């Protein structure tokens, strides 16, 4: 038996994520070991495997939601999970490429309770390390020898293009005062939904799924991804720093045009007008300003609206999951992971 063998009973979401991390990490480390030493040092630090001096640590490596979706996508169509390891590794590499770049662009100095890679190694080295992870992801798929590797590369590359478009829109929002809610949702669909959808799709491809199964599982993942972003944006305002690894009100401090913020700003309420004045003031926001901004977002109804949208997206995701006709255990576990992603503590 291997680390990726499972029992007959379906597991909780936490058990699935632990299983995914335990099974994928050795293959992920093997892939990262192929990087040039300078890139490997930064990547390993970012993954939490060692400190800036290369000394092993037990730092948080993340939740491993995307590789879990890839592995479960394979199981859902009746495929062998071990054969899907390249798919799971590839989506985790792409996700962490985006995190390395996001931290630079957002100026975030903390991730997973540690200084971000750019804060330790510098901006340019962190950008290059992100580039290295992206090219490594495609190399892992190309070198897998799987008959569907070429299609998986196409699916993942398309998702990366959508992710980049979403990130570009997110950055442009920082300079604008007229961001509309519909375009903010489209941004999140690309920035977050696309990769979760691709994770499910490449997993299904590596499991030998039918085209209709691949597409339904992709749609499932995309909707879970958008719901995940709604919840993540709520955490960016009200999340517990002990859970998120970021300061309280971190998104407000950065004046991010996140989903609940834009929902509040476009709500045509008194709270919206006061929030607009706060958000677009020239002076830095004080702790009192940040607390007031959070209160205004809640008063506008944007906090409850965001959670309701996440709940609705989960319902729609389940419809696509059923349409994919997955194996019973994989369906239960995919649903459990989706529920965890959309109902984190906040």
């Amino acid at each position: 038996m291997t680390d990726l063998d499972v029992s007959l009973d379906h597991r909780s979401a936490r058990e699935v994520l632990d299983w995914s991390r335990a099974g994928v990490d050795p293959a992920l480390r093997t892939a990262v070991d192929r990087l040039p030493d300078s890139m490997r040092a930064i990547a390993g630090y970012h993954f939490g495997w060692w400190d800036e001096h290369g000394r092993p640590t037990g730092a948080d490596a993340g939740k491993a939601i995307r590789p879990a979706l890839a592995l479960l996508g394979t199981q859902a169509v009746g495929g062998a999970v071990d054969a899907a390891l390249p798919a799971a590794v590839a989506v985790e590499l792409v996700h962490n490429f985006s995190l390395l770049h996001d931290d630079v662009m957002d100026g975030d100095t903390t991730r997973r309770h540690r200084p971000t890679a750019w804060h330790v190694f510098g901006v340019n080295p962190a950008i290059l390390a992100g580039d290295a992870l992206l090219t490594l992801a495609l190399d892992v798929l190309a070198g897998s020898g799987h008959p569907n590797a070429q299609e998986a590369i196409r699916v993942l590359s398309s998702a990366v293009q959508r992710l980049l478009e979403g990130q570009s829109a997110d950055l442009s929002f920082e300079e604008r005062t007229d961001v509309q809610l519909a375009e903010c949702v489209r941004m999140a669909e690309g920035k977050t939904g696309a990769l979760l959808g691709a994770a499910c799709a490449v997993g299904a491809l590596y499991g030998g799924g039918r085209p209709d199964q691949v597409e339904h599982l992709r749609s499932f993942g995309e909707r879970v991804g958008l719901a995940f972003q709604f919840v993540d944006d709520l955490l960016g305002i009200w999340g517990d720093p002990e859970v998120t690894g970021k300061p309280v009100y971190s998104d407000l401090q950065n004046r991010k045009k996140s989903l609940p913020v834009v929902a509040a700003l476009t709500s045509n309420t008194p709270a919206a007008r006061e929030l607009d004045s706060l958000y677009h003031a020239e002076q830095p926001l004080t702790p009192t300003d940040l607390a007031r901004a959070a209160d205004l977002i809640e008063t506008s109804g944007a906090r409850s609206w965001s959670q309701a949208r996440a709940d609705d997206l989960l319902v729609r995701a389940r419809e696509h999951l059923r349409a994919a006709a997955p194996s019973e255990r994989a369906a239960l576990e995919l649903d459990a992971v989706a529920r965890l992603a959309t109902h984190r503590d906040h």
Side-chain angles (χ1 to χ4, degrees):
M1 296 182 71
T2 72
D3 288 340
L4 290 172
D5 288 324
V6 296
S7 65
L8 294 176
D9 295 328
H10 76 274
R11 298 155 296 184
S12 70
R14 296 290 182 188
E15 289 171 333
V16 168
L17 296 182
D18 288 344
W19 161 79
S20 170
R21 176 58 71 201
V24 170
D25 259 5
L28 185 62
R29 285 175 179 261
T30 297
V32 170
D33 279 345
R34 289 156 42 194
L35 293 175
D37 288 345
S38 58
M39 299 296 96
R40 177 180 173 274
I42 299 171
Y45 172 85
H46 171 76
F47 280 115
W49 298 337
W50 49 71
D51 65 15
E52 63 270 31
H53 304 294
R55 296 177 299 225
T57 67
D60 180 12
K63 293 177 286 293
I65 287 177
R66 291 153 190 82
L69 291 176
L71 296 177
L72 291 175
T74 295
Q75 285 191 320
V77 299
V81 177
D82 283 351
L85 272 176
V89 168
V91 296
E92 185 70 344
L93 288 169
V94 168
H95 173 52
N96 283 279
F97 137 76
S98 72
L99 295 183
L100 280 164
H101 284 198
D102 280 358
D103 286 342
V104 170
M105 288 182 277
D106 293 343
D108 287 337
T109 58
T110 303
R111 177 173 294 281
R112 300 169 185 158
H113 310 283
R114 306 170 80 209
T116 48
W118 75 263
H119 198 58
V120 173
F121 296 95
V123 168
N124 292 336
I127 291 173
L128 292 173
D131 294 342
L133 294 186
L134 176 58
T135 56
L136 181 61
L138 300 179
D139 187 59
V140 166
L141 292 179
S144 69
H146 194 281
N148 287 335
Q150 183 175 354
E151 178 64 11
I153 291 172
R154 189 194 67 79
V155 167
L156 194 57
S157 296
S158 176
V160 170
Q161 295 293 349
R162 290 180 60 198
L163 184 157
L164 296 175
E165 183 179 27
Q167 179 66 9
S168 176
D170 193 23
L171 291 172
S172 74
F173 291 171
E174 295 178 12
E175 308 300 324
R176 292 173 48 194
T177 60
D178 61 343
V179 179
Q180 298 302 304
L181 189 53
E183 61 180 330
C184 191
V185 171
R186 286 195 299 273
M187 174 275 293
E189 287 173 340
K191 184 177 176 180
T192 306
L195 186 55
L196 269 76
C200 294
V202 296
L205 283 168
Y206 269 65
R210 303 186 310 270
D212 64 299
Q213 290 180 303
V214 173
E215 286 309 307
H216 278 301
L217 286 168
R218 186 214 303 263
S219 295
F220 162 80
E222 287 179 347
R223 282 152 183 79
V224 171
L226 182 54
F228 180 95
Q229 189 60 58
F230 269 101
V231 174
D232 206 58
D233 285 354
L234 291 171
L235 287 168
I237 300 172
W238 292 282
D240 180 353
E242 292 297 318
V243 175
T244 65
K246 294 185 178 182
V248 67
Y249 303 142
S250 60
D251 281 0
L252 300 183
Q253 183 72 65
N254 295 329
R255 306 194 201 211
K256 287 185 67 68
K257 301 292 196 329
S258 63
L259 288 159
V261 168
V262 174
L265 287 171
T266 57
S267 64
N268 196 29
T269 62
R273 290 185 284 278
E274 186 178 344
L275 179 65
D276 184 78
S277 297
L278 268 178
Y279 232 59
H280 299 113
E282 292 186 7
Q283 66 272 21
L285 296 176
T286 67
T288 300
D289 292 335
L290 294 172
R292 180 58 180 163
D295 286 342
L296 290 168
I297 294 167
E298 184 155 16
T299 300
S300 75
R303 183 178 187 177
S304 59
W305 175 83
S306 294
Q307 185 60 63
R309 287 285 286 126
D311 293 340
D312 179 63
L313 284 161
L314 181 57
V315 170
R316 291 160 57 191
R318 285 169 168 160
E319 293 171 355
H320 283 286
L321 181 58
R322 286 192 293 270
S327 65
E328 182 178 1
R329 183 175 59 195
L332 291 169
E333 293 179 353
L334 281 165
D335 185 73
V337 171
R339 282 186 284 110
L340 177 69
T342 55
H343 288 85
R344 291 170 286 165
D345 294 333
H346 57 274

